[in-house]
Coordinates of all heavy atoms in Angstrom, one line a residue:
M1 N -14.6 27.2 4.5 CA -13.8 26.4 5.4 C -12.9 25.4 4.6 O -13.4 24.7 3.7 CB -14.6 25.7 6.4 CG -13.9 25.4 7.7 SD -15.0 25.1 9.1 CE -15.7 23.5 8.7
Q2 N -11.7 25.4 4.9 CA -10.8 24.5 4.2 C -11.0 23.0 4.7 O -11.0 22.8 5.9 CB -9.4 24.9 4.4 CG -8.5 24.6 3.2 CD -7.1 25.0 3.3 OE1 -6.7 25.5 4.3 NE2 -6.3 24.7 2.3
K3 N -11.0 22.2 3.7 CA -11.1 20.7 4.1 C -9.8 20.2 4.5 O -8.8 20.4 3.9 CB -11.6 20.0 2.8 CG -12.5 18.8 3.2 CD -13.0 18.1 1.9 CE -12.9 16.6 2.0 NZ -13.0 16.0 0.7
K4 N -9.8 19.5 5.6 CA -8.6 18.9 6.2 C -8.2 17.7 5.4 O -9.1 16.8 5.2 CB -8.8 18.6 7.6 CG -7.4 18.5 8.4 CD -7.7 18.4 9.9 CE -6.4 18.1 10.6 NZ -6.1 16.7 10.7
V5 N -7.0 17.6 4.9 CA -6.5 16.5 4.2 C -5.8 15.5 5.2 O -4.9 15.9 5.8 CB -5.5 16.9 3.1 CG1 -5.1 15.6 2.3 CG2 -6.2 17.9 2.2
P6 N -6.4 14.3 5.3 CA -5.7 13.4 6.3 C -4.4 12.9 5.7 O -4.2 12.7 4.6 CB -6.7 12.2 6.3 CG -7.7 12.4 5.3 CD -7.4 13.7 4.6
E7 N -3.4 12.9 6.6 CA -2.1 12.5 6.2 C -1.9 10.9 6.3 O -2.5 10.3 7.2 CB -1.0 13.1 7.1 CG -0.8 14.6 6.8 CD 0.6 15.0 7.2 OE1 1.0 14.6 8.3 OE2 1.2 15.8 6.5
R8 N -1.2 10.4 5.4 CA -0.9 9.0 5.4 C 0.6 8.8 5.7 O 1.4 9.7 5.4 CB -1.1 8.4 4.0 CG -2.5 8.8 3.4 CD -3.6 8.2 4.2 NE -4.9 8.6 3.6 CZ -6.1 8.4 4.2 NH1 -6.1 7.9 5.4 NH2 -7.2 8.8 3.7
T9 N 1.0 7.7 6.2 CA 2.4 7.4 6.5 C 2.8 6.2 5.8 O 2.1 5.1 5.9 CB 2.5 7.2 8.1 OG1 2.0 8.3 8.7 CG2 4.0 7.1 8.4
C10 N 3.9 6.3 5.1 CA 4.5 5.1 4.4 C 4.9 4.1 5.4 O 5.6 4.4 6.4 CB 5.6 5.6 3.5 SG 6.5 4.3 2.7
I11 N 4.6 2.8 5.2 CA 4.9 1.8 6.1 C 6.4 1.4 6.0 O 7.0 0.7 6.8 CB 4.1 0.5 5.9 CG1 4.2 -0.1 4.5 CG2 2.6 0.8 6.3 CD1 3.7 -1.5 4.4
V12 N 7.0 1.9 4.9 CA 8.5 1.5 4.7 C 9.4 2.6 5.2 O 10.2 2.4 6.1 CB 8.7 1.3 3.2 CG1 10.2 0.9 3.0 CG2 7.9 0.1 2.7
C13 N 9.2 3.8 4.8 CA 10.1 4.9 5.2 C 9.5 5.9 6.2 O 10.2 6.7 6.7 CB 10.6 5.7 3.9 SG 9.3 6.6 3.1
R14 N 8.2 5.7 6.5 CA 7.6 6.5 7.6 C 7.4 7.9 7.2 O 7.1 8.8 8.0 CB 8.4 6.4 8.9 CG 8.5 5.1 9.5 CD 7.2 4.7 10.2 NE 7.1 3.3 10.3 CZ 6.0 2.6 10.5 NH1 4.9 3.3 10.7 NH2 5.9 1.3 10.6
K15 N 7.5 8.2 5.9 CA 7.3 9.6 5.4 C 5.8 9.8 5.4 O 5.0 9.0 5.0 CB 8.0 9.7 4.0 CG 8.5 11.1 3.8 CD 9.3 11.2 2.5 CE 8.4 11.1 1.3 NZ 9.1 11.1 0.0
K16 N 5.4 11.1 5.7 CA 4.0 11.4 5.7 C 3.7 12.3 4.5 O 4.5 13.0 4.0 CB 3.7 12.2 6.9 CG 3.6 11.3 8.2 CD 3.0 12.1 9.3 CE 2.9 11.2 10.5 NZ 3.6 11.5 11.7
G17 N 2.4 12.2 4.1 CA 2.0 13.0 2.9 C 0.5 12.8 2.6 O -0.2 12.1 3.3
E18 N 0.1 13.5 1.6 CA -1.3 13.3 1.2 C -1.5 12.0 0.5 O -0.6 11.4 -0.1 CB -1.7 14.5 0.2 CG -1.7 15.8 0.9 CD -2.0 17.0 0.0 OE1 -2.5 16.7 -1.1 OE2 -1.6 18.1 0.4
K19 N -2.8 11.5 0.5 CA -3.0 10.2 0.1 C -2.8 10.0 -1.4 O -2.5 8.8 -1.8 CB -4.4 9.7 0.5 CG -5.6 10.3 -0.2 CD -6.8 9.6 0.3 CE -8.1 9.7 -0.5 NZ -8.6 10.9 -0.9
E20 N -2.8 11.0 -2.2 CA -2.5 10.9 -3.6 C -1.1 10.4 -3.9 O -0.9 9.9 -5.0 CB -2.7 12.3 -4.3 CG -4.2 12.7 -4.6 CD -4.8 13.2 -3.3 OE1 -4.1 13.6 -2.3 OE2 -6.1 13.2 -3.3
N21 N -0.3 10.6 -3.0 CA 1.1 10.2 -3.2 C 1.4 8.8 -2.7 O 2.6 8.4 -2.7 CB 2.1 11.2 -2.4 CG 1.9 12.6 -2.9 OD1 1.6 12.9 -4.0 ND2 1.9 13.5 -1.9
F22 N 0.3 8.1 -2.3 CA 0.5 6.8 -1.8 C -0.2 5.7 -2.5 O -1.3 6.0 -3.1 CB 0.1 6.7 -0.3 CG 1.0 7.5 0.6 CD1 0.9 8.9 0.7 CD2 2.1 6.9 1.3 CE1 1.7 9.6 1.5 CE2 2.9 7.6 2.1 CZ 2.8 9.0 2.2
I23 N 0.3 4.5 -2.4 CA -0.4 3.3 -2.9 C -1.1 2.7 -1.7 O -0.4 2.6 -0.6 CB 0.5 2.3 -3.6 CG1 1.2 2.9 -4.8 CG2 -0.2 1.0 -3.9 CD1 2.4 2.1 -5.3
K24 N -2.4 2.4 -1.8 CA -3.0 1.8 -0.6 C -3.2 0.3 -0.8 O -3.6 -0.2 -1.8 CB -4.4 2.4 -0.4 CG -5.1 2.0 0.8 CD -6.4 2.7 1.0 CE -7.1 2.3 2.3 NZ -8.5 2.8 2.3
I25 N -2.9 -0.4 0.2 CA -3.0 -1.9 0.3 C -4.1 -2.2 1.3 O -4.0 -1.6 2.5 CB -1.7 -2.6 0.7 CG1 -0.5 -2.0 0.0 CG2 -1.8 -4.1 0.4 CD1 -0.3 -2.3 -1.4
V26 N -5.1 -3.0 1.0 CA -6.1 -3.2 1.9 C -6.2 -4.7 2.3 O -6.1 -5.6 1.5 CB -7.5 -2.7 1.3 CG1 -8.6 -3.0 2.3 CG2 -7.4 -1.2 1.1
C27 N -6.5 -4.9 3.6 CA -6.7 -6.2 4.1 C -8.2 -6.3 4.5 O -8.6 -5.6 5.4 CB -5.8 -6.5 5.3 SG -6.1 -8.2 6.0
N28 N -9.0 -7.1 3.8 CA -10.4 -7.0 4.1 C -10.9 -8.0 5.1 O -10.0 -8.7 5.8 CB -11.2 -7.2 2.7 CG -11.1 -8.6 2.2 OD1 -10.7 -9.6 2.9 ND2 -11.5 -8.8 0.9
K29 N -12.2 -8.1 5.4 CA -12.7 -8.9 6.4 C -12.4 -10.4 6.3 O -12.3 -11.1 7.3 CB -14.3 -8.8 6.5 CG -14.7 -7.4 7.1 CD -16.2 -7.4 7.5 CE -17.1 -7.4 6.3 NZ -17.4 -6.1 5.7
N30 N -12.2 -10.8 5.1 CA -11.8 -12.2 4.8 C -10.3 -12.4 4.8 O -9.9 -13.5 4.4 CB -12.4 -12.7 3.5 CG -13.9 -12.5 3.4 OD1 -14.6 -12.7 4.4 ND2 -14.4 -12.0 2.3
N31 N -9.6 -11.4 5.3 CA -8.2 -11.4 5.4 C -7.5 -11.6 4.0 O -6.4 -12.2 3.9 CB -7.7 -12.6 6.3 CG -8.0 -12.2 7.7 OD1 -7.8 -11.1 8.1 ND2 -8.4 -13.2 8.5
E32 N -8.2 -11.1 3.0 CA -7.6 -11.1 1.7 C -6.9 -9.7 1.5 O -7.5 -8.7 1.9 CB -8.7 -11.2 0.6 CG -9.3 -12.6 0.6 CD -10.6 -12.7 -0.2 OE1 -11.1 -11.6 -0.5 OE2 -11.0 -13.8 -0.5
I33 N -5.8 -9.7 0.9 CA -5.0 -8.5 0.7 C -5.0 -8.1 -0.7 O -4.6 -8.9 -1.6 CB -3.6 -8.6 1.4 CG1 -3.8 -8.9 2.9 CG2 -2.7 -7.4 1.1 CD1 -2.5 -9.3 3.6
H34 N -5.4 -6.9 -1.0 CA -5.4 -6.4 -2.3 C -4.8 -5.0 -2.4 O -4.8 -4.2 -1.5 CB -6.8 -6.3 -2.9 CG -7.4 -7.7 -3.0 ND1 -7.1 -8.5 -4.0 CD2 -8.4 -8.3 -2.3 CE1 -7.8 -9.6 -3.9 NE2 -8.6 -9.5 -2.8
V35 N -4.3 -4.7 -3.6 CA -3.9 -3.3 -3.9 C -5.2 -2.5 -4.3 O -5.9 -3.0 -5.2 CB -2.9 -3.3 -5.1 CG1 -2.5 -1.9 -5.4 CG2 -1.7 -4.1 -4.8
E36 N -5.4 -1.4 -3.7 CA -6.6 -0.6 -4.0 C -6.3 0.1 -5.3 O -5.3 0.9 -5.4 CB -6.9 0.4 -2.9 CG -8.3 1.0 -3.2 CD -8.7 2.0 -2.0 OE1 -9.3 1.5 -1.1 OE2 -8.4 3.2 -2.2
K37 N -7.2 -0.1 -6.3 CA -7.1 0.6 -7.6 C -8.1 1.7 -7.7 O -8.2 2.6 -6.9 CB -7.1 -0.4 -8.7 CG -5.9 -1.3 -8.6 CD -6.0 -2.6 -9.5 CE -5.0 -3.6 -9.2 NZ -5.2 -4.9 -9.8
D38 N -9.0 1.6 -8.7 CA -10.0 2.6 -8.9 C -11.1 2.5 -7.9 O -11.6 3.5 -7.4 CB -10.6 2.5 -10.3 CG -9.6 2.3 -11.4 OD1 -8.5 3.0 -11.3 OD2 -9.8 1.4 -12.3
K39 N -11.5 1.3 -7.5 CA -12.6 1.1 -6.6 C -12.1 1.2 -5.2 O -11.0 0.7 -4.8 CB -13.2 -0.3 -6.9 CG -14.7 -0.3 -6.7 CD -15.3 -1.6 -7.2 CE -14.8 -2.7 -6.3 NZ -15.4 -4.0 -6.7
K40 N -12.9 1.7 -4.3 CA -12.6 1.8 -2.9 C -12.8 0.5 -2.2 O -13.8 -0.1 -2.4 CB -13.4 2.9 -2.2 CG -12.6 3.6 -1.1 CD -13.3 4.8 -0.7 CE -12.9 5.3 0.7 NZ -11.9 4.6 1.4
L41 N -11.9 0.0 -1.4 CA -12.0 -1.3 -0.8 C -12.2 -1.0 0.7 O -11.6 -0.1 1.3 CB -10.8 -2.1 -1.0 CG -10.4 -2.4 -2.5 CD1 -9.0 -3.1 -2.5 CD2 -11.5 -3.3 -3.1
D42 N -13.0 -1.9 1.3 CA -13.2 -1.9 2.8 C -12.1 -2.7 3.5 O -11.7 -3.7 3.0 CB -14.6 -2.4 3.1 CG -15.6 -1.4 2.9 OD1 -15.3 -0.2 3.0 OD2 -16.8 -1.8 2.5
G43 N -11.8 -2.3 4.6 CA -10.8 -3.0 5.4 C -9.7 -2.2 5.9 O -9.7 -0.9 5.8
R44 N -8.8 -2.8 6.5 CA -7.6 -2.1 7.1 C -6.6 -1.8 6.0 O -6.3 -2.6 5.1 CB -6.9 -3.1 8.1 CG -6.6 -2.4 9.4 CD -5.7 -3.3 10.2 NE -4.4 -2.6 10.4 CZ -3.3 -3.3 10.8 NH1 -3.3 -4.6 10.8 NH2 -2.2 -2.6 11.0
G45 N -6.2 -0.5 6.0 CA -5.3 -0.1 4.9 C -3.9 0.2 5.4 O -3.7 0.5 6.5
A46 N -3.0 0.0 4.5 CA -1.6 0.3 4.7 C -1.2 1.2 3.5 O -1.6 0.9 2.4 CB -0.7 -0.9 4.8
Y47 N -0.3 2.1 3.7 CA 0.1 3.0 2.7 C 1.6 2.9 2.4 O 2.4 2.8 3.3 CB -0.3 4.4 3.0 CG -1.7 4.6 3.1 CD1 -2.4 4.4 4.4 CD2 -2.5 5.0 2.1 CE1 -3.8 4.5 4.5 CE2 -3.9 5.2 2.2 CZ -4.5 4.9 3.4 OH -5.8 5.0 3.5
I48 N 1.9 3.0 1.1 CA 3.3 3.0 0.7 C 3.5 4.1 -0.3 O 2.6 4.2 -1.2 CB 3.7 1.6 0.1 CG1 3.6 0.5 1.2 CG2 5.2 1.7 -0.4 CD1 3.6 -0.8 0.6
C49 N 4.5 4.9 -0.2 CA 4.6 6.0 -1.2 C 5.0 5.5 -2.5 O 5.6 4.4 -2.7 CB 5.5 7.1 -0.7 SG 7.0 6.7 0.2
K50 N 4.6 6.2 -3.5 CA 4.9 5.8 -4.9 C 6.3 6.1 -5.2 O 6.6 6.9 -6.1 CB 3.9 6.6 -5.9 CG 2.5 6.2 -5.7 CD 1.6 7.1 -6.6 CE 0.1 6.7 -6.4 NZ -0.8 7.7 -7.0
N51 N 7.2 5.4 -4.5 CA 8.6 5.6 -4.7 C 9.2 4.2 -4.9 O 9.0 3.3 -4.2 CB 9.1 6.2 -3.4 CG 10.6 6.4 -3.3 OD1 11.3 5.7 -4.1 ND2 11.1 7.2 -2.5
P52 N 9.9 4.1 -6.1 CA 10.4 2.8 -6.4 C 11.2 2.1 -5.3 O 11.2 0.9 -5.1 CB 11.3 3.0 -7.7 CG 10.8 4.3 -8.2 CD 10.2 5.1 -7.1
E53 N 11.9 2.9 -4.6 CA 12.8 2.4 -3.5 C 11.9 1.8 -2.4 O 12.2 0.7 -1.8 CB 13.6 3.5 -2.8 CG 14.8 4.0 -3.7 CD 15.7 2.8 -4.1 OE1 16.1 2.0 -3.2 OE2 15.9 2.6 -5.3
C54 N 10.8 2.4 -2.1 CA 9.9 1.9 -1.0 C 9.2 0.7 -1.5 O 9.0 -0.3 -0.7 CB 8.9 3.0 -0.6 SG 9.6 4.3 0.4
I55 N 8.8 0.6 -2.8 CA 8.1 -0.5 -3.3 C 9.1 -1.7 -3.2 O 8.7 -2.8 -2.8 CB 7.8 -0.3 -4.8 CG1 7.1 1.0 -5.1 CG2 7.0 -1.5 -5.4 CD1 5.7 1.2 -4.6
K56 N 10.3 -1.5 -3.7 CA 11.3 -2.6 -3.7 C 11.6 -3.1 -2.2 O 11.6 -4.3 -2.0 CB 12.6 -2.1 -4.3 CG 12.7 -2.3 -5.8 CD 14.1 -2.0 -6.2 CE 14.0 -1.0 -7.4 NZ 15.2 -0.1 -7.6
K57 N 11.7 -2.1 -1.3 CA 12.0 -2.5 0.1 C 10.8 -3.2 0.7 O 11.0 -4.2 1.4 CB 12.2 -1.2 0.9 CG 13.7 -0.9 0.9 CD 13.9 0.2 2.0 CE 15.3 0.9 1.7 NZ 15.3 2.2 2.4
C58 N 9.6 -2.8 0.3 CA 8.4 -3.4 0.9 C 8.3 -4.9 0.4 O 8.0 -5.7 1.2 CB 7.2 -2.6 0.4 SG 5.7 -3.5 0.7
I59 N 8.7 -5.1 -0.8 CA 8.6 -6.5 -1.4 C 9.7 -7.3 -0.8 O 9.5 -8.4 -0.3 CB 8.7 -6.4 -2.9 CG1 7.4 -5.7 -3.5 CG2 8.8 -7.8 -3.5 CD1 7.5 -5.3 -4.9
K60 N 10.9 -6.7 -0.7 CA 12.1 -7.4 -0.2 C 11.9 -7.8 1.3 O 12.2 -8.9 1.7 CB 13.3 -6.6 -0.4 CG 14.6 -7.4 -0.6 CD 15.7 -6.5 -1.0 CE 17.0 -6.9 -0.4 NZ 17.9 -5.8 -0.1
Q61 N 11.4 -6.8 2.0 CA 11.4 -7.0 3.5 C 10.0 -7.6 3.9 O 9.8 -7.8 5.1 CB 11.5 -5.7 4.2 CG 12.9 -5.0 3.9 CD 12.9 -3.6 4.5 OE1 11.9 -3.0 4.9 NE2 14.1 -3.0 4.5
K62 N 9.2 -7.9 2.9 CA 7.8 -8.4 3.2 C 7.1 -7.5 4.3 O 6.6 -8.0 5.3 CB 7.9 -9.9 3.7 CG 8.7 -10.8 2.8 CD 7.7 -11.5 1.9 CE 8.3 -12.6 1.0 NZ 8.6 -12.1 -0.3
S63 N 7.2 -6.2 4.1 CA 6.6 -5.3 5.0 C 5.1 -5.5 5.2 O 4.6 -5.2 6.3 CB 6.8 -3.9 4.5 OG 8.2 -3.6 4.4
L64 N 4.4 -6.0 4.2 CA 3.0 -6.1 4.3 C 2.7 -7.2 5.4 O 1.7 -7.1 6.1 CB 2.3 -6.5 3.0 CG 2.4 -5.4 1.9 CD1 1.8 -5.8 0.6 CD2 1.7 -4.1 2.4
S65 N 3.5 -8.3 5.4 CA 3.2 -9.3 6.3 C 3.4 -8.8 7.8 O 2.6 -9.2 8.7 CB 4.3 -10.5 6.1 OG 4.4 -10.8 4.8
R66 N 4.3 -7.9 7.9 CA 4.5 -7.3 9.2 C 3.4 -6.4 9.7 O 2.9 -6.5 10.8 CB 5.9 -6.6 9.2 CG 6.5 -6.5 10.6 CD 7.8 -5.7 10.5 NE 7.7 -4.4 9.9 CZ 8.4 -3.8 9.0 NH1 9.3 -4.6 8.4 NH2 8.2 -2.6 8.5
V67 N 3.0 -5.6 8.7 CA 1.9 -4.6 9.0 C 0.6 -5.4 9.3 O -0.1 -5.0 10.3 CB 1.7 -3.6 7.9 CG1 0.4 -2.9 8.0 CG2 2.9 -2.7 7.8
F68 N 0.2 -6.3 8.5 CA -1.0 -7.0 8.7 C -0.9 -8.2 9.6 O -1.9 -8.9 9.8 CB -1.6 -7.4 7.3 CG -2.0 -6.3 6.4 CD1 -1.4 -6.1 5.2 CD2 -2.9 -5.4 6.9 CE1 -1.8 -5.0 4.4 CE2 -3.3 -4.3 6.1 CZ -2.7 -4.1 4.8
K69 N 0.3 -8.5 10.1 CA 0.5 -9.6 11.0 C 0.0 -10.9 10.5 O -0.7 -11.7 11.2 CB -0.1 -9.3 12.4 CG 0.6 -8.1 13.1 CD 0.1 -8.0 14.5 CE 0.9 -6.9 15.2 NZ 0.7 -5.6 14.6
R70 N 0.3 -11.2 9.2 CA -0.1 -12.4 8.6 C 0.7 -12.7 7.4 O 1.5 -11.9 6.9 CB -1.6 -12.4 8.2 CG -1.9 -11.3 7.2 CD -3.3 -11.3 6.7 NE -4.2 -11.8 7.7 CZ -4.6 -13.1 7.8 NH1 -4.2 -13.9 6.9 NH2 -5.3 -13.4 8.8
N71 N 0.6 -13.9 6.9 CA 1.4 -14.3 5.7 C 0.7 -13.6 4.5 O -0.5 -13.8 4.3 CB 1.4 -15.8 5.5 CG 2.6 -16.4 6.1 OD1 3.7 -15.8 6.2 ND2 2.5 -17.7 6.5
V72 N 1.5 -13.0 3.8 CA 1.0 -12.3 2.6 C 1.5 -13.1 1.4 O 2.7 -13.4 1.2 CB 1.5 -10.9 2.5 CG1 1.0 -10.2 1.2 CG2 0.9 -10.1 3.7
D73 N 0.5 -13.6 0.6 CA 0.9 -14.4 -0.6 C 1.8 -13.6 -1.5 O 1.7 -12.4 -1.7 CB -0.4 -14.7 -1.3 CG -0.3 -16.0 -2.1 OD1 -0.4 -17.1 -1.5 OD2 0.0 -15.9 -3.3
E74 N 2.7 -14.4 -2.1 CA 3.6 -13.8 -3.1 C 2.9 -13.1 -4.2 O 3.4 -12.1 -4.7 CB 4.4 -15.0 -3.7 CG 5.8 -14.6 -4.2 CD 6.7 -14.1 -3.2 OE1 6.8 -14.6 -2.1 OE2 7.4 -13.0 -3.5
S75 N 1.7 -13.6 -4.6 CA 1.0 -12.9 -5.7 C 0.5 -11.5 -5.3 O 0.3 -10.7 -6.2 CB -0.3 -13.8 -6.0 OG -1.2 -13.8 -4.9
V76 N 0.4 -11.2 -4.1 CA 0.0 -9.9 -3.7 C 1.1 -8.9 -4.0 O 1.0 -7.8 -4.5 CB -0.4 -9.8 -2.2 CG1 -0.6 -8.4 -1.7 CG2 -1.6 -10.6 -1.9
Y77 N 2.3 -9.4 -3.6 CA 3.5 -8.6 -3.9 C 3.7 -8.4 -5.4 O 4.1 -7.3 -5.9 CB 4.8 -9.2 -3.3 CG 4.8 -9.0 -1.8 CD1 4.5 -10.1 -1.0 CD2 5.1 -7.8 -1.2 CE1 4.6 -10.0 0.4 CE2 5.2 -7.7 0.2 CZ 4.9 -8.8 1.0 OH 4.9 -8.6 2.3
E78 N 3.4 -9.4 -6.1 CA 3.5 -9.4 -7.6 C 2.5 -8.4 -8.2 O 2.8 -7.5 -9.0 CB 3.3 -10.8 -8.2 CG 4.5 -11.6 -8.3 CD 4.3 -13.0 -8.6 OE1 3.3 -13.3 -9.3 OE2 5.0 -13.9 -8.2
E79 N 1.3 -8.5 -7.7 CA 0.2 -7.5 -8.1 C 0.6 -6.1 -7.8 O 0.5 -5.2 -8.6 CB -1.1 -7.9 -7.3 CG -2.3 -7.1 -7.8 CD -3.5 -7.2 -6.9 OE1 -3.5 -8.0 -6.0 OE2 -4.5 -6.5 -7.2
F80 N 1.2 -5.9 -6.7 CA 1.7 -4.7 -6.2 C 2.7 -4.1 -7.1 O 2.7 -3.0 -7.6 CB 2.2 -4.9 -4.8 CG 2.7 -3.7 -4.1 CD1 2.1 -2.5 -4.3 CD2 3.8 -3.8 -3.2 CE1 2.6 -1.4 -3.6 CE2 4.2 -2.7 -2.6 CZ 3.7 -1.5 -2.8
E81 N 3.7 -5.0 -7.4 CA 4.8 -4.6 -8.3 C 4.3 -4.2 -9.7 O 4.7 -3.2 -10.3 CB 5.8 -5.7 -8.4 CG 7.2 -5.2 -8.7 CD 8.2 -6.3 -8.6 OE1 7.8 -7.5 -8.6 OE2 9.4 -6.0 -8.6
N82 N 3.4 -5.1 -10.2 CA 2.9 -4.9 -11.6 C 2.1 -3.6 -11.6 O 2.2 -2.8 -12.6 CB 1.9 -6.0 -12.0 CG 2.7 -7.3 -12.2 OD1 3.9 -7.3 -12.4 ND2 2.0 -8.4 -12.1
E83 N 1.2 -3.4 -10.6 CA 0.4 -2.2 -10.6 C 1.3 -1.0 -10.6 O 1.0 0.0 -11.3 CB -0.4 -2.2 -9.3 CG -1.3 -1.0 -9.0 CD -2.4 -0.9 -10.1 OE1 -2.7 -1.8 -10.8 OE2 -3.0 0.2 -10.1
F84 N 2.3 -1.0 -9.9 CA 3.2 0.1 -9.8 C 4.0 0.4 -11.1 O 4.0 1.5 -11.6 CB 4.2 0.0 -8.6 CG 5.0 1.2 -8.5 CD1 4.5 2.4 -8.0 CD2 6.4 1.2 -8.8 CE1 5.2 3.6 -7.9 CE2 7.1 2.4 -8.7 CZ 6.6 3.5 -8.2
S85 N 4.5 -0.6 -11.7 CA 5.2 -0.4 -12.9 C 4.3 0.0 -14.1 O 4.7 0.7 -14.9 CB 6.1 -1.7 -13.3 OG 5.6 -2.8 -12.7
A86 N 3.1 -0.5 -14.0 CA 2.1 -0.1 -15.0 C 1.8 1.4 -15.0 O 1.7 2.1 -16.0 CB 0.8 -0.9 -14.8
K87 N 1.8 1.9 -13.8 CA 1.5 3.3 -13.6 C 2.6 4.2 -14.1 O 2.4 5.4 -14.4 CB 1.2 3.6 -12.1 CG -0.2 3.3 -11.7 CD -0.7 4.2 -10.6 CE -2.2 3.9 -10.3 NZ -2.5 3.0 -9.3
Q88 N 3.8 3.7 -14.1 CA 4.9 4.5 -14.5 C 5.0 4.7 -16.0 O 5.7 5.6 -16.5 CB 6.2 3.8 -14.0 CG 6.5 4.2 -12.6 CD 7.9 3.9 -12.2 OE1 8.4 2.8 -12.5 NE2 8.6 4.8 -11.6
N89 N 4.4 3.8 -16.7 CA 4.4 3.9 -18.2 C 3.5 4.9 -18.8 O 2.4 5.1 -18.2 CB 4.2 2.5 -18.8 CG 5.3 1.6 -18.5 OD1 6.4 2.0 -18.2 ND2 5.0 0.3 -18.4
Ligands
ZN101 ZN1 8.1 5.4 1.6

């Protein structure tokens, strides 16, 4: 039996795809927002595709604040940006 792959939707462009193509941002029980890296994080997740345009738009439009309905610290966006540029090298 084939395993069903859950689809994720980019919060910026609304494109759907497999989770490997997305960066996951998690808001945990303490309302701390982190970029999910190697370790799995608990909490509400938002997905953004690994597309420089979406990353830029997300940071510019503060999309995370909208999705999590809270103020997202600038450092989260920085972490996000750094994490993404690191992966490209
Ligand atoms: Zn996207």
Side-chain angles (χ1 to χ4, degrees):
M1 206 161 69
Q2 209 183 3
K3 212 176 138 197
K4 198 170 174 272
V5 183
E7 281 204 322
R8 312 295 180 191
T9 308
C10 174
I11 60 166
V12 179
C13 68
R14 300 278 157 202
K15 211 171 75 184
K16 288 191 172 116
E18 290 174 22
K19 71 177 201 301
E20 282 77 20
N21 302 324
F22 291 84
I23 296 167
K24 187 181 181 188
I25 317 285
V26 176
C27 181
N28 71 16
K29 285 196 287 280
N30 303 321
N31 288 322
E32 291 164 345
I33 296 169
H34 295 286
V35 179
E36 189 178 274
K37 293 166 192 168
D38 314 318
K39 216 169 67 176
K40 213 169 161 359
L41 301 173
D42 281 330
R44 227 189 118 201
Y47 298 86
I48 300 163
C49 38
K50 291 174 182 169
N51 175 340
E53 286 306 309
C54 285
I55 312 288
K56 268 187 235 156
K57 271 191 198 162
C58 169
I59 295 164
K60 211 172 140 208
Q61 301 172 348
K62 304 262 185 268
S63 302
L64 294 176
S65 314
R66 206 178 58 228
V67 166
F68 293 121
K69 295 186 172 65
R70 59 175 32 263
N71 266 333
V72 177
D73 205 81
E74 204 63 43
S75 66
V76 174
Y77 286 105
E78 275 168 29
E79 187 190 353
F80 182 35
E81 205 176 14
N82 291 340
E83 176 67 13
F84 183 71
S85 20
K87 279 210 172 96
Q88 276 197 314
N89 294 332

